[in-house]
Amino acid sequence: MFGRKKPTPKEQLRETKKEIRHNERDMDRELQNLAREEVKLIVDIKKAAAAGQQGALKTMAKNLVQLRAQKDRLVTMKATITGVGYKASLMQSQA
């Protein structure tokens, strides 16, 4: 509309794949950051345990559980997005 022509299915696929790759890279980056945070948190937990700081230890343990759950959710989202990309490719090849 308004002088812009409708993209061909091939162009649509290319644009969709571009967005999916971008999102996958973002999620990979986020997963790496979460993995780094997890390692730091484990080290901090061990230090707190050695020092006998029960209050801080409990809080950090809860944070670790939340961080691991967030990583699991992110992996699931990435798998879903990858599946969408494969499905788009499959639909294009069958069209």
Side-chain angles (χ1 to χ4, degrees):
M1 191 172 221
F2 302 137
R4 188 172 180 195
K5 58 184 174 180
K6 187 176 178 183
T8 65
K10 201 171 198 175
E11 291 169 342
Q12 286 177 337
L13 177 65
R14 196 173 85 205
E15 185 64 29
T16 301
K17 280 187 161 189
K18 177 182 168 187
E19 289 177 20
I20 288 172
R21 280 192 310 269
H22 180 268
N23 288 333
E24 285 177 339
R25 282 192 304 271
D26 286 344
M27 287 185 188
D28 283 336
R29 235 177 271 120
E30 185 65 27
L31 280 170
Q32 289 173 350
N33 290 338
L34 289 175
R36 267 188 238 112
E37 283 182 43
E38 183 178 9
V39 170
K40 286 180 190 175
L41 196 53
I42 290 172
V43 169
D44 289 342
I45 287 172
K46 288 180 181 180
K47 285 180 185 176
Q53 299 172 341
Q54 292 299 318
L57 190 63
K58 189 173 181 180
T59 304
M60 285 189 273
K62 286 181 182 180
N63 287 344
L64 182 62
V65 169
Q66 289 174 348
L67 191 129
R68 287 180 176 166
Q70 185 178 358
K71 270 179 50 177
D72 289 343
R73 285 191 302 268
L74 201 57
V75 167
T76 304
M77 278 194 300
K78 185 175 182 276
T80 303
I81 286 179
T82 302
V84 168
Y86 290 146
K87 195 165 194 166
S89 296
L90 181 66
M91 289 174 64
Q92 172 61 27
S93 68
Q94 290 179 351

